[in-house]
Amino acid sequence: MSTLSIFIAILGALVVIAIWQMGGIVRFLTKRKKLNEISDTDEVARQGLSATKNMLIVGGLLVLFAGLLIFYLFVKDTPVESHFFEWMSLLVRWFHITIGIAWIGASFYFVFLENSLNRTKGLRKGIAGNLWAIHGGGFYYVEKYKNAPEEIPKELHWFKYEAYFTWISGFVLLCIVYYFNAKSFLIDPNVLNITPLTGVAIGVSTLIVGWIVYDLLCKFPLINHGIVFAAIGFLLMVGVAWLLTNVFNSRAAFIHVGALIGTLMAGNVFFVIIPSQKAMVAAAKEGKTPDPRLGKHAGLRSLHNNYFTLPVLFIMISNHYPSTFSHELNWLALAGISLGSALVKHYLNLIERGEYSIWVFPVGILMILAVAFMTSPDINPEACDDEVSFATIYPIVQSRCISCHSSNPTDEDWSTPPNGVKYDTPEEVAAKADLIMQRVVLTHNMPQNNKTGMTPEERDLIRCWIQQGASTK
């Protein structure tokens, strides 16, 4: 099955789902023409209105995604294709980062709140803790109930759409950057020679199977043994990182580990936290005492998300730093930074609870620094016996690099030079000597997947030319 056939099938499914969503909205609006006249006691109507809002959001997103796919079919294999993908990637990435900040900010705040509550002094009946705070020139007072208030307020804010939209935009970005152009950005024949369709199937399956395994682990009593559970989960994640770095392009492997962590976080919200909260609200409205186990389990999954945040943020920015993902032990580097950053987050959580540890923070920082030293290049490379002139390395640049890095790229994936880097003139090459040393010589990150076939001998000549002063003479 061709990639085009897959896109058409996806597009057809999206159109059908969008029509179904819109049909449900029309049916509801026909039945309830005057939504503003819904009484406070008309719970069925208010729930219907909430469902309508959800359908509008989902339907709108599906229509938007279907529209993007339709536009893609029109521009595919035209000069506009690369330009379209660049702007689509930019806008989706911008939204993804913005909504992700909102989600992670909420996670940080509520874990801070839970850690910092006053649980002993002057508490009202039924209150588990409270907190005074000042921000933005105002004083705030927050209380947490042991179970639920006697009467559930009409205006109850739910923190869920930040998680949903972060995952959706992240998955769309994954499709734009790595799946729609899997041959160039997902697959590296030097790692494993597989078809684009196989690569996409492996990537998506990793997210699905990863969630299933994690969710099953969370349903065993092991989840109540924090250190053991965390150790097993960490080792499983390291195993996934090792496997993916032996299947995909190293940068794509890192991003898929991040996508898996993000899937676990969003899955916690969608499948556990929100359903638990809905069950607690429903019980309170019926005058029953909410099952405390629901709140405890939801809180535990929320805490997992809190520890996931720093590793996933690192992975989000790592694709700009090939010294992390291009090392031969890149999976170990990812494991070290993930564990180190999780320890840093643990230290911050301890501080918020008024507890202190003399080893957690230093160990976390040392672990991150150890990765930096582990991935550093050889400080004593082979000596350059002969002087290497610019005339020697310029033909290498012309044959291996100029197809992408020129004013008018001839590479099928780029309509403009990546990151604005051009090697049309000797001066432009010399000006980027440090960047060339990092990307071409030390990390072998460029050319992308070595698609132009640069040899080790050519990389060594470039190294010598840079070490000898990168002269254009």
Side-chain angles (χ1 to χ4, degrees), residues 126-147:
I127 299 298
N130 56 31
L131 176 74
W132 279 98
I134 183 169
H135 181 75
F139 291 91
Y140 295 84
Y141 181 66
V142 182
E143 289 183 320
K144 177 185 178 181
Y145 284 79
K146 290 181 178 178
N147 288 305

Side-chain angles (χ1 to χ4, degrees), residues 19-179:
I19 292 173
W20 173 75
Q21 289 281 348
M22 294 304 174
I25 293 171
V26 170
R27 287 192 298 272
F28 178 81
L29 293 178
T30 302
K31 199 171 185 179
R32 297 278 184 176
K33 294 181 179 179
K34 297 181 179 180
L35 296 178
N36 59 339
E37 294 182 2
I38 294 176
S39 66
D40 293 345
T41 58
D42 194 346
E43 185 63 28
V44 174
R46 294 202 310 115
Q47 290 180 357
L49 178 58
S50 177
T52 298
K53 293 178 180 177
N54 292 339
M55 285 192 293
L56 279 170
I57 293 170
V58 174
L61 287 172
L62 290 173
V63 169
L64 176 62
F65 194 39
L68 290 173
L69 282 177
I70 291 171
F71 185 71
Y72 169 73
L73 294 178
F74 278 106
V75 303
K76 183 174 172 57
D77 298 325
T78 71
V80 181
E81 182 180 0
S82 296
H83 180 74
F84 165 68
F85 265 100
E86 183 172 324
W87 271 93
M88 188 162 65
S89 175
L90 168 63
L91 296 177
V92 175
R93 192 185 302 271
W94 188 8
F95 177 78
H96 179 61
I97 291 173
T98 302
I99 198 69
I101 290 171
W103 182 18
I104 292 175
S107 172
F108 279 17
Y109 174 72
F110 278 100
V111 170
F112 156 78
L113 195 61
E114 184 68 24
N115 289 335
S116 304
L117 287 174
N118 158 49
R119 302 180 185 276
T120 57
K121 300 176 182 178
L123 299 178
R124 296 189 297 114
K125 182 180 179 181
I127 299 298
N130 56 31
L131 176 74
W132 279 98
I134 183 169
H135 181 75
F139 291 91
Y140 295 84
Y141 181 66
V142 182
E143 289 183 320
K144 177 185 178 181
Y145 284 79
K146 290 181 178 178
N147 288 305
E150 295 180 0
E151 182 179 348
I152 298 295
K154 290 190 302 179
E155 303 298 330
L156 184 62
H157 185 78
W158 294 76
F159 289 86
K160 55 181 179 178
Y161 290 115
E162 298 91 343
Y164 299 163
F165 288 156
T166 299
W167 188 88
I168 291 170
S169 60
F171 185 74
V172 170
L173 192 60
L174 190 68
C175 292
I176 293 171
V177 177
Y178 294 97
Y179 293 167

Side-chain angles (χ1 to χ4, degrees), residues 386-413:
D386 301 317
E387 185 175 351
V388 179
S389 67
F390 184 77
T392 301
I393 66 102
Y394 196 51
I396 300 173
V397 174
Q398 291 290 312
S399 62
R400 307 304 189 192
C401 311
I402 207 71
S403 58
C404 294
H405 293 288
S406 70
S407 299
N408 298 292
T410 58
D411 185 88
E412 67 273 12
D413 297 322

Side-chain angles (χ1 to χ4, degrees), residues 446-461:
M446 289 293 166
Q448 178 79 24
N449 290 344
N450 201 19
K451 64 194 302 183
T452 57
M454 182 177 285
T455 66
E457 292 76 18
E458 289 172 336
R459 295 182 193 274
D460 207 44
L461 285 171

